[in-house]
Amino acid sequence: MTISYDQFGLKEVINASGKMTILGVSKVSENVLAAQRFGGEHFFEMSELAIQTGAYLAQLLKVEDAQIVSSASAGIAQSVAAIIGQGSLYHVYHPYTDRIKQREIILPKGHNVDYGTPVEVMVSQGGGQVVEAGYANGCSPEQVEMMITENTAALLYIKSHHTVQKSMLTVEEAVAVAHKHQLPLIIDAAAEEDLFKYSQAGADLVIYSGAKAIEGPSSGLVIGKGQYIEWLRLQGKGIGRAMKIGKDNILGLTQALADRLENGSESGESMKQRLAPFISALNQISGLKATIVQDGAGRDIYRASVKLQERSAKEVIAALKTADPAIYTREYQANNGIIEFDIRAVDASELEKIITRLKEIM
């Protein structure tokens, strides 16, 4: 049987939205597919596979240890549970026990976002209690410090375009507060491109999506201090059991990360060069004004920003999704009449299809 869109009554999708979970995140390479196939065709001692792939990745990333999990969300939940439980087998079997009081996870209010599920849902799943610091329009190191109590288990910092970007304490400031009060700092860097920056800055646990910037299969990666990773690995007997990852995706992520470190990712300059003719073509369509913009969170990612002068952005976004192929865009500025196109996973022929479809809609 040959798998196809038609077999399941599905539309083809052009992903001009970015590395988005709702679209399957990323395409994987032949190398990654080969690694997944090797995993699928063989048996392993799974506990040893986790330890050895973690050690291999830790060496590549220059950290004490690493653990592959099923997703970045699972990484948040299991990291929180690991810090709260501190290696206690009783806690593993009774993750929400009243015996343990030190459960508060301090999070800047502007970081308590919904990225497909709220951050606080994952914290709660790990047995943590979110304590918000600061306000939606700003959080200082002092505002984090004033929320610390005897029941504080850890600080959590979300590095994402979803969060409030202005007037927030920096990663370095969060590290300083954590160290001053001898508290672990967890950083969720799910979609971040830099795999070294946050651990080198002093974070104790750093969480990445395996399927976003790393371009692996559905997976997550937690790196950091050896003691904390050991505690996290123990969660496989507890809440982590419901979040387990298969051998094929463990090996697929391992290969993807090794390839990423060897080959890098597309540069911002390359994106701008590919965007130039696309922008020119869009500006020839009546009612559109297109420019190149950088990612709002400061990453080396460039996109086409299209201002609609006559039509509702929400109507055009909906129309792009209805045809086959369905075209998905970044919708975060639709209320301002702007549609953004992320072309990292879009090839030249797909760019032409987007241009043709926009001509038809406009």
Side-chain angles (χ1 to χ4, degrees):
M1 179 177 68
T2 301
I3 296 294
S4 68
Y5 286 106
D6 291 341
Q7 180 180 350
F8 302 109
L10 298 171
K11 290 189 290 187
E12 181 185 348
V13 172
I14 295 176
N15 179 7
S17 180
K19 306 298 178 69
M20 306 300 288
T21 299
I22 62 167
L23 300 179
V25 195
S26 293
K27 298 174 182 176
V28 298
S29 69
E30 291 296 329
N31 262 6
V32 171
L33 287 172
Q36 288 180 281
R37 179 165 184 165
F38 180 81
E41 292 178 339
H42 295 84
F43 293 108
F44 305 87
E45 297 172 328
M46 292 300 292
S47 60
E48 194 65 14
L49 179 65
I51 291 169
Q52 295 303 330
T53 53
Y56 173 78
L57 294 175
Q59 185 176 21
L60 292 180
L61 296 173
K62 298 177 172 47
V63 292
E64 292 180 14
D65 205 351
Q67 174 72 12
I68 297 173
V69 293
S70 61
S71 66
S73 291
I76 296 174
Q78 292 183 68
S79 293
V80 168
I83 296 299
I84 290 171
Q86 298 186 11
S88 162
L89 196 58
Y90 178 84
H91 169 268
V92 168
Y93 294 135
H94 305 88
Y96 310 115
T97 175
D98 290 338
R99 289 189 191 180
I100 298 175
K101 306 299 182 185
Q102 199 171 7
R103 293 183 174 275
E104 294 177 357
I105 307 296
I106 298 176
L107 174 71
K109 187 177 184 69
H111 287 193
N112 192 10
V113 296
D114 185 335
Y115 59 89
T117 190
V119 170
E120 62 186 337
V121 169
M122 291 299 103
V123 173
S124 297
Q125 193 163 352
Q129 299 163 354
V130 167
V131 174
E132 293 182 341
Y135 299 91
N137 64 339
C139 180
S140 67
E142 293 76 18
Q143 287 170 320
V144 172
E145 283 192 280
M146 69 175 64
M147 304 310 294
I148 295 173
T149 72
E150 60 183 8
N151 291 324
T152 301
L155 309 185
L156 175 60
Y157 191 103
I158 310 297
K159 191 71 179 76
S160 167
H161 69 277
H162 290 294
T163 62
V164 174
Q165 300 296 314
K166 65 178 183 179
S167 303
M168 285 288 161
L169 77 165
T170 64
V171 167
E172 292 73 20
E173 288 171 331
V175 168
V177 173
H179 287 180
K180 178 180 176 181
H181 293 272
Q182 298 182 317
L183 290 168
L185 172 65
I186 304 167
I187 294 185
D188 171 29
E192 292 299 295
E193 301 274 331
D194 195 322
L195 301 176
F196 296 92
K197 179 178 180 179
Y198 304 108
S199 56
Q200 290 177 352
D204 298 286
L205 290 173
V206 186
I207 303 160
Y208 294 96
S209 166
K212 292 188 177 177
I214 300 172
E215 296 187 337
S218 293
S219 55
L221 178 66
V222 185
I223 65 175
K225 302 294 175 57
Q227 179 72 84
Y228 297 147
I229 295 294
E230 282 185 27
W231 293 348
L232 186 147
R233 199 169 280 137
L234 191 60
Q235 293 304 311
K237 298 177 180 293
I239 68 164
R241 179 71 176 184
M243 311 170 191
K244 63 185 177 184
I245 181 171
K247 51 195 169 69
D248 50 346
N249 282 10
I250 290 174
L251 291 172
L253 173 60
T254 302
Q255 183 66 56
L257 193 143
D259 289 349
R260 167 68 194 282
L261 293 179
E262 182 177 351
N263 303 321
S265 58
E266 184 179 13
S267 69
E269 284 304 313
S270 171
M271 287 180 220
K272 287 190 279 188
Q273 289 173 13
R274 291 204 296 124
L275 278 166
F278 180 61
I279 294 291
S280 178
L282 293 181
N283 280 327
Q284 293 176 34
I285 301 173
S286 178
L288 301 183
K289 175 60 178 175
T291 57
I292 296 176
V293 296
Q294 187 175 2
D295 173 67
R299 294 173 295 176
D300 192 28
I301 298 170
Y302 292 85
R303 304 184 177 100
S305 175
V306 180
K307 177 72 174 178
L308 280 85
Q309 299 167 330
E310 300 168 4
R311 298 282 300 277
S312 159
K314 289 184 178 180
E315 289 177 2
V316 173
I317 287 168
L320 285 168
K321 292 178 184 177
T322 58
D324 190 355
I327 300 169
Y328 277 74
T329 63
R330 297 179 74 80
E331 305 175 10
Y332 302 114
Q333 295 198 62
N335 287 341
N336 297 321
I338 294 171
I339 307 173
E340 287 189 348
F341 294 82
D342 186 314
I343 66 163
R344 285 176 291 170
V346 183
D347 62 29
S349 66
E350 290 174 329
L351 287 174
E352 287 298 324
K353 290 178 181 178
I354 294 171
I355 293 166
T356 299
R357 184 70 185 124
L358 280 170
K359 286 179 180 177
E360 293 170 354
I361 293 169
M362 298 302 293

